[in-house]
Amino acid sequence: MSDTGKTPADFWFDPLCPWAWLTSRWMLEVEKVRPVEVRWHVMSLAVLNEPKLDELPEAYQEMMRTEAWGPVRVCIAAEEKYGSEVLARLYTALGTRFHNQGLPRNRETILAALEDAGLPAELADAADTDAYDERLRASHKEGIDLVGQEVGTPVIAVPGADGEQIAFFGPVVTPSPKGEEAAKLWDGTLMVASIPGFYEIKRTRTAAPSFD
């Protein structure tokens, strides 16, 4: 339990990832239906894909080089200057624009998200500098070290049988569950985390992300 008496759920996200966005909206719903406190952290698809970038499709390589660094750098800069509590509202402001509204992942969109999150516009400057990359890599590594290398975003860490953090990639789900469905998926996540030696359930995705 956290200091609030709620079950902690640590959540690592990259604002670019549509699947992480859907899972994050599920976690916000879980907070409404279960005594859960989400603690937000930044991970980076650009960092994750660095070792294998040349093996990826050209369009994805271009996205990693031109679009992936800016938003996570801005998130890290905001966290460093104003604390981790600002990440939830900044992520919501960015994700709503990137995914629900389909806006470009550029400075103008980041500036609008910062304004919506009640954060200063100067934070957008972090997108074009590597000044926060050491801290970004450390945050990314914290999540990856819990779950292992063969994953993407999001990463979620929940209490296991003995209270230790058990981390998973996902859950990957579309659309985001609401109400009792959100509660059942959360309960199931805790259940599998409580089983020593449990690692993975997976099937082929046959639906695109739905942001309805």
Side-chain angles (χ1 to χ4, degrees):
M1 291 293 177
S2 68
D3 293 340
T4 63
K6 297 181 178 180
T7 301
D10 288 281
F11 191 101
W12 280 263
F13 67 91
D14 184 318
L16 258 66
C17 179
W19 296 104
W21 175 246
L22 289 167
T23 308
S24 73
R25 300 310 92 181
W26 162 66
M27 283 306 310
L28 292 181
E29 187 74 10
V30 170
E31 285 189 312
K32 300 176 185 177
V33 295
R34 291 289 186 269
V36 171
E37 178 184 13
V38 182
R39 301 184 298 205
W40 303 95
H41 310 274
V42 184
M43 66 182 296
S44 168
L45 286 170
V47 173
L48 184 71
N49 286 298
E50 271 183 328
K52 56 184 178 182
L53 189 60
D54 291 342
E55 303 170 14
L56 300 173
E58 288 187 11
Y60 196 83
Q61 289 185 40
E62 182 66 13
M63 182 176 70
M64 290 297 99
R65 294 189 180 103
T66 62
E67 299 181 353
W69 286 100
V72 288
R73 285 169 169 170
V74 172
C75 286
I76 287 292
E79 180 184 26
E80 185 169 298
K81 292 188 176 183
Y82 299 101
S84 59
E85 61 271 15
V86 305
L87 285 177
R89 65 178 189 265
L90 179 54
Y91 181 25
T92 290
L94 287 168
T96 298
R97 286 166 173 78
F98 291 165
H99 305 298
N100 297 78
Q101 298 175 8
L103 296 177
R105 299 153 179 164
N106 59 17
R107 182 179 176 87
E108 182 180 358
T109 302
I110 291 172
L111 284 168
L114 287 167
E115 181 179 6
D116 193 31
L119 293 167
E122 66 191 38
L123 287 172
D125 295 340
D128 300 316
T129 174
D130 62 2
Y132 296 94
D133 285 8
E134 183 176 354
R135 177 70 188 90
L136 170 62
R137 291 178 184 278
S139 180
H140 176 87
K141 184 176 184 297
E142 183 183 9
I144 290 296
D145 282 352
L146 287 172
V147 72
Q149 295 293 327
E150 298 175 2
V151 301
T153 173
V155 169
I156 184 172
V158 301
D162 298 323
E164 77 282 16
Q165 279 191 311
I166 302 295
F168 299 109
F169 161 58
V172 175
V173 61
T174 187
S176 297
K178 300 292 191 296
E180 185 56 26
E181 284 193 347
K184 287 193 294 185
L185 181 55
W186 170 254
D187 294 343
T189 301
L190 290 183
M191 181 183 69
V192 296
S194 73
I195 306 300
F198 174 83
Y199 293 103
E200 183 176 10
I201 293 176
K202 190 171 183 178
R203 63 174 177 159
T204 299
R205 285 181 295 212
T206 58
S210 172
F211 308 119
D212 295 339

